[in-house]
Amino acid sequence: MKKIINHPEQVVEEMLEGIVSAHPQYVKRVQGFNVLTRAGGPSAKVALVSGGGSGHEPSHGGFVGRGMLDGAVAGAVFTSPTPDQVFEAVKAVDGGKGVLLVIKNYTGDVMNFEMAAEMAEAENIQVEKVVVNDDVAVENSTWTTGRRGIAGTVFVHKLAGAKAEAGGTLAEVKRVAEKVVANVRSMGMALAPCTVPAAGKPSFTLAENEIEIGMGIHGEPGTHREAIRSADEIVDHLMEKILADSPVAAGQEVAVLVNGLGGTPTMELYIVSRKVAQMLAGKGAKTVKTFVGNYMTSLEMAGFSISVLKLDGELKELLLAPADTPAFVQF
Amino acid sequence: MSVAISALEAVSEAIGRNKEYLTSLDAAIGDADHGINMARGFDAVVAKARTLPPDADVGTVLKTAGMTLISTVGGAAGPLYGTAFLRAAGTAQGAAIDGAAVIRMLEAAINGIKERGKAVRGEKTMLDALEPAVEAFADRYKAGRPLVECLDAACEAADKGVAFTKTIIATKGRASYLGERSIGHQDPGATSSFIILKALADFCRQYESGEN
C-alpha cells in the first residue's frame, strides 16, 4: 500500500481537521464528533443531514453549505457512522423546523441512521428519513434489500437542499427528496480497485484487461466482470441499463452526473459525458445540465458512474437554484 | 475481576486474532472491513469494561458492551451486535447465569438481531450460525447435559451454520448485491458469530476446569 497518510487509524480525524482548516467559511466541527455543520448554523429552516463511510470525498462534508446539506457525518472508511454520531449532527443542525436524514441504501447506513432517528425522536426533534436507491446494477426484487444508493444521492442533496433553503416544510423537503429518488438512476464500472487504509491491500483484484461492471462505491464487487472495451461501448452498456429501467421520452428534460470514482482523469470523464450526451440527444431528450467530476468517490478507485435525473418544472427549478458549498458552487 | 469481563476479554482476543480472516471473507462478498470494524469495537468494549466495578453484574457488563459496540463499530455489525448484547443484558439482569439463563439471553439476542436487521434464518447472515447454536444448546440442556457440553454442541451447530452459508444466495446486506455470485463464499457475520461463541465456550471450559 502506498498512500499519503500518517497513520491508518488517524485518516478520518486528520481529514476532518483538514476540511475545517481549508474551508472555515463553510464548515465547522462538532467538537468530539466526526460531524461537520455549516459554519453559520443552525438556521431557522428545515435541516438536511447526510453521511456515510469516509473515502467518498467530497461526499459528504464537501456538500455542507447554502443550498445543500446542514450537517455531514463521517464514519470510518467505507463504514457507516454510528447512531450517536448521527444523533449529534441532528442536534447540532436542528433549528426547530425538523431534520431530514438522507441515507444511501446500504444495510449498515439504514440501521445506524434509523437508530439515530429513534434517539432524536426520544428528544422530541422532528426527523424524517429518505433512502436513496439509484443504482440499477442490482436487482430490485422483493427478496433483496433493494438497490444500492450511489452518486445519484448528490442530486438529492442538491434539490432537497434547495427546497429547504427556499423555506419548504419538513414534509415538502421530504417529498422533493422522494421525487428525486423516484426519478434518478445510476450505474457504474471500475477499471481498478481501491485500498482501504486500515486493510492495507486492495479489496479485490482485476486482471490487466478486465473491468468490473455495476460496482458499488465501497470496493464491493460489481455484478460481473468482462474484458475492457472502448469508452463508448462501456457507456452504451451502462446507459442501456439506466434507460431500460427509466425510459427517457422525446422532449424529456434531464440532468446528468458523470461521477469519477477518485482515480480516473477528468479527460476520460469528459469522453464518457460526450457519449452520454449523444445518446440522450438521440432519444430526443433535453439535457438541462451536466455535472462532470469527482462527487461520490471510492478512494483511488479508477472508474466512473453515470446518473440520469428526469426533471419536471419543480425539479428543474431546484436543480438550477444557487448553491455554495466547498465542493458544489452554482450561481 | 468480574467473570463476565474476563469472558469479554477472551472474545476480544479471539476477534483480534481473526481480524484479517474476517476481513478477507468480507472482501470476497462485501466491502472488506468486517474484521477491522469488529476488532475496533471489541478493543473499545474491553477498555470500557475494565472501568466497571469488579463486582459488576452480567447485565451491566453486557449492557456496557452493547452500547460500546453501537458507538464504535458502525456498518451493519454495530447495530446488530450492539442490539444483541443490549437484549441479552435485559434478560440477564440480577439472575444467576445457568443454562436456562444462557438460553434466554441468546434467544433475546437473536430476536433483537431479527428485528434490527429485518432478517430471518436462511438469508446468509449471522442468524444462520446463531439460531442453530441456541437450538443445539437448548436440546442438550433439556437433556440434562453439563454446561460445557451444551456450549460445545452450540459451537458445532454454529460451525455447520457457517458452512451452510457457503451454499446459499445472500439476500440481506451487501453480499445480496452479488446475488448468485455470493454462492461459495461463507458469510463474514455468521463467521464472527461463530468465533464469539467459540471464544465463550473455550473460556467457560477453562473457567470450569480452573474451578474444579
Side-chain angles (χ1 to χ4, degrees):
Chain A
M1 177 178 64
K2 199 156 74 171
K3 281 184 187 291
I4 302 165
I5 60 173
N6 294 306
H7 302 286
E9 300 76 28
Q10 287 300 314
V11 292
V12 175
E13 176 62 32
E14 292 180 0
M15 170 190 74
L16 291 170
E17 287 174 16
I19 294 175
V20 172
S21 63
H23 308 293
Q25 68 275 40
Y26 288 109
V27 294
K28 62 184 179 191
R29 176 99 178 254
V30 176
Q31 279 314 313
F33 293 90
N34 292 342
V35 172
L36 298 177
T37 63
R38 287 196 203 186
S43 59
K45 65 172 203 56
V46 170
L48 271 77
V49 168
S50 191
S54 293
H56 303 307
E57 292 67 33
S59 290
H60 300 81
F63 301 129
V64 174
R66 190 165 64 88
M68 287 182 84
L69 301 177
D70 295 87
V73 199
V77 175
F78 289 175
T79 300
S80 78
T82 57
D84 51 322
Q85 299 272 343
V86 179
F87 180 43
E88 284 302 319
V90 168
K91 282 193 289 185
V93 302
D94 179 41
K97 297 276 171 61
V99 181
L100 179 70
L101 301 178
V102 181
I103 310 164
K104 291 187 295 308
N105 194 26
Y106 279 99
T107 311
D109 291 72
V110 173
M111 279 192 274
N112 283 288
F113 277 79
E114 269 178 3
M115 291 175 87
E118 288 168 19
M119 291 174 181
E121 279 156 9
E123 299 253 319
N124 293 319
I125 300 175
Q126 247 189 301
V127 182
E128 289 286 356
K129 296 167 290 191
V130 61
V131 178
V132 188
N133 60 349
D134 53 318
D135 187 353
V136 298
V138 291
E139 296 290 313
N140 192 18
S141 63
T142 52
W143 52 266
T144 65
T145 44
R147 295 170 156 165
R148 294 179 290 221
I150 56 172
T153 310
V154 178
F155 281 130
V156 181
H157 296 162
K158 173 68 191 74
L159 279 69
K163 186 69 186 177
E165 210 70 55
T169 64
L170 183 56
E172 286 167 347
V173 175
K174 185 188 182 190
R175 177 185 59 75
V176 164
E178 285 179 337
K179 196 179 188 185
V180 176
V181 171
N183 285 287
V184 66
R185 299 289 189 278
S186 306
M187 188 159 161
M189 61 79 64
L191 290 173
C194 58
T195 299
V196 173
K201 54 188 181 203
S203 51
F204 64 99
T205 51
L206 285 173
E208 185 57 31
N209 68 337
E210 263 183 336
I211 59 175
E212 183 97 23
I213 299 290
M215 299 294 308
I217 52 172
H218 303 90
E220 73 272 35
T223 54
H224 70 280
R225 287 175 185 183
E226 58 186 42
I228 183 137
R229 293 187 271 166
S230 70
D232 283 0
E233 286 172 311
I234 294 167
V235 173
D236 206 50
H237 176 70
L238 300 185
M239 284 295 283
E240 193 178 295
K241 292 275 185 193
I242 288 168
L243 296 177
D245 193 82
S246 179
V248 172
Q252 173 74 54
E253 293 193 309
V254 299
V256 173
L257 170 61
V258 175
N259 173 58
L261 294 175
T264 288
T266 308
M267 181 181 82
E268 293 172 28
L269 299 180
Y270 277 116
I271 292 170
V272 168
S273 72
R274 163 192 167 273
K275 177 66 176 174
V276 174
Q278 285 174 358
M279 291 183 75
L280 287 169
K283 298 271 176 197
K286 183 170 181 295
T287 303
V288 171
K289 190 140 191 173
T290 302
F291 302 89
V292 179
N294 289 330
Y295 289 83
M296 180 79 72
T297 60
S298 299
L299 296 170
E300 76 280 22
M301 187 180 293
F304 68 93
S305 62
I306 302 166
S307 302
V308 177
L309 170 65
K310 290 205 275 192
L311 300 168
D312 61 7
E314 181 187 36
L315 294 185
K316 181 179 175 181
E317 189 185 331
L318 294 167
L319 174 79
L320 298 176
D324 189 17
T325 76
F328 197 112
V329 178
Q330 181 171 284
F331 298 101
Chain B
M1 185 178 286
S2 154
V3 177
I5 296 172
S6 303
L8 282 179
E9 286 175 344
V11 170
S12 177
E13 198 273 327
I15 291 288
R17 208 168 351 103
N18 287 284
K19 178 172 148 178
E20 293 196 359
Y21 172 55
L22 288 173
T23 294
S24 70
L25 292 175
D26 198 22
I29 58 175
D31 63 345
D33 64 4
H34 188 54
I36 296 164
N37 293 340
M38 290 292 282
R40 179 176 62 239
F42 275 96
D43 281 352
V45 164
V46 167
K48 190 85 181 170
R50 282 178 180 156
T51 67
L52 291 171
D55 59 346
D57 67 276
V58 174
T60 303
V61 173
L62 289 176
K63 186 179 170 201
T64 303
M67 292 304 290
T68 306
L69 291 172
I70 287 170
S71 65
T72 56
V73 176
L80 292 172
Y81 277 118
T83 301
F85 275 81
L86 286 184
R87 295 293 179 88
T91 68
Q93 264 157 1
I97 303 302
D98 56 9
V102 170
I103 293 169
R104 278 200 307 276
M105 285 158 64
L106 284 173
E107 283 178 346
I110 287 169
N111 285 334
I113 290 168
K114 284 180 172 171
E115 284 171 33
R116 181 59 66 192
K118 302 176 185 75
V120 294
R121 191 166 162 182
E123 295 178 317
K124 202 174 177 109
T125 71
M126 53 175 80
L127 291 171
D128 293 318
L130 289 173
E131 278 208 318
V134 66
E135 284 169 12
F137 186 100
D139 282 351
R140 297 297 166 96
Y141 180 73
K142 279 169 197 153
R145 307 307 300 168
L147 192 60
V148 168
E149 192 186 315
C150 298
L151 282 167
D152 283 342
C155 287
E156 198 181 314
D159 198 15
K160 280 187 188 152
V162 170
F164 171 66
T165 65
K166 276 192 194 183
T167 67
I168 54 176
I169 296 177
T171 58
K172 281 285 184 291
R174 280 191 192 164
S176 67
Y177 303 128
L178 273 182
E180 290 191 0
R181 274 173 102 193
S182 66
I183 290 183
H185 297 289
Q186 73 190 58
D187 181 62
T191 308
S192 60
S193 291
F194 166 71
I195 288 167
I196 291 169
L197 286 175
K198 185 77 169 61
L200 288 171
D202 291 345
F203 174 82
C204 288
R205 187 181 302 103
Q206 278 169 14
Y207 183 75
E208 294 235 321
S209 62
E211 291 273 291
N212 296 336

